[in-house]
Amino acid sequence: MEVLAIESSCDETAAAVVRDGREILSNIIASQIETHKLYGGVVPEIASRKHIEVINQVISEALSEADRTLGDIDAVCVTYGPGLVGALLVGVGAAKALAYAADKPLVGVHHIEGHIAANYLADPELEPPFLCMVASGGHSHLVIVKDYGEYEVLGRTRDDAAGEAFDKVARAIGLGYPGGPKIAALAKEGDPLAIEFPRASIEDSPYDFSFSGVKSAVLNYLNSCEMKGEEINRADVAASFQDAVTGVLTDHTMLAAKDYGIRKVALAGGVACNSCLRGKIKAACEDSGYEFFLPPPILCTDNAAMIGSAGYYEYRKGVRHGWDLNAVPALALG
Ligand code: KG4
Ligand code: ZN
């Protein structure tokens, strides 16, 4: 079965053709980063307008690169939440129009399910159950994937998402948007043990996250250095901040794997591009004898191939959406 998948929940306009949930026939991504960089972050109205400008071309390219026409496709899958409402609506509108015109089934997909499914594309042998740590710009979820499309959310962030913390700290130290890759690059020149930033854990909720404390600690550190006239070593700040965030993500993931007796651990979401995080979880899994799964960076950040994989498994479960499918900005998982 081959699906056309569309993703437009944030600042990437993407379309892909995916076979049987596991094989990428095409994966086209038009990034808006250069536009949003000018404003230091994603501007929702601009994101929607940019999606409208390029979506038809992105979809055409996805079909032609896969050497398929709309008539060859078995279903149209689209992210319908969570995300920016105006941005989501562009993808949902395009998917409904195409599915209606070509008389194909329409399958709405949860964006986080997509991030998790990136692991099915990266490793065709991976089967549930497994534990997945999803860390992106908007979400930090620790999820047990019990079966295809069946999830138990063990932990989530109480405030900022991990990627959001990276982006905010990057802005504070003058690195600009998007912050994650810039902090990761600068951190390579710094000492992760130079500054002790807090590693929050929440009483009675050992798998939940909180990243606003570490973000505020960085801002306070910068202010205090400025007031004392002390020079700031930005590389040390980046390395110490990255060490604190990736340390918490790793510790909570390994604790959950141990507590629930799950011996397969996967990573997903934009923050999973972070080589420090990848290294820490990989090493911890090796120490514990767990299998470790990790999509390549292009499948960690937003893309439509992951939506095609998740959509395929939803379709197989019998999920079909009507022409009244709407964007749901705060769509819950599971
Ligand atoms: O999954 P994604 O593309 O979009 C959302 O669904 O949010 O994730 C984007 C987030 C941004 O916050 C970005 O700064 C972060 O992922 N990110 C990274 C790295 N690459 C991207 N964070 C840390 N280290 C990286 N190398
Ligand atoms: Zn995402």
Side-chain angles (χ1 to χ4, degrees), residues 22 115-134 145 253-254 262-269 272-273 277-279 281-286 289-297 299-300:
R22 296 281 179 164
H115 274 302
I116 294 169
N119 282 283
Y120 298 135
L121 297 167
D123 189 329
E125 306 297 315
L126 173 64
E127 301 273 352
F130 60 94
L131 180 70
C132 190
M133 226 282 306
V134 193
V145 182
T253 305
M254 298 316 291
I262 302 172
R263 304 186 63 83
K264 288 197 249 181
V265 175
L267 274 183
C273 294
L277 177 66
R278 295 161 88 99
I281 299 206
K282 185 168 183 272
C285 285
E286 277 167 9
Y290 298 163
E291 273 186 274
F292 177 56
F293 300 88
L294 178 61
L299 296 178
C300 287

Side-chain angles (χ1 to χ4, degrees), residues 160-240:
D160 291 349
E164 195 179 350
F166 268 94
D167 293 337
K168 286 178 177 167
V169 166
R171 194 185 305 184
I173 56 176
L175 293 177
Y177 179 83
K182 292 189 171 164
I183 294 228
L186 184 59
K188 288 205 170 87
E189 295 154 30
D191 174 6
L193 305 177
I195 311 152
E196 204 171 309
F197 289 128
R199 293 159 193 245
S201 44
I202 293 151
E203 223 177 305
D204 302 328
S205 302
Y207 315 119
D208 274 352
F209 303 99
S210 166
F211 294 111
S212 73
V214 59
K215 175 199 67 189
S216 303
V218 173
L219 300 182
N220 291 341
Y221 175 84
L222 297 172
N223 282 338
S224 128
C225 287
E226 222 162 77
M227 275 160 61
K228 289 190 234 156
E230 288 172 7
E231 206 182 311
I232 296 164
N233 183 329
R234 297 192 318 159
D236 281 352
V237 174
S240 301

Side-chain angles (χ1 to χ4, degrees), residues 7 9-12 82 111-112 115 134-139 161-167 177-185 242 246 268-275 277 300-303 306:
E7 153 67 40
S9 65
C10 190
D11 60 347
E12 261 96 31
H111 183 74
I112 304 288
H115 274 302
V134 193
S136 72
H139 318 273
E164 195 179 350
F166 268 94
D167 293 337
Y177 179 83
K182 292 189 171 164
I183 294 228
Q242 176 177 263
T246 56
V271 182
C273 294
N274 186 278
S275 49
L277 177 66
C300 287
T301 47
D302 288 347
N303 65 86
M306 68 185 196

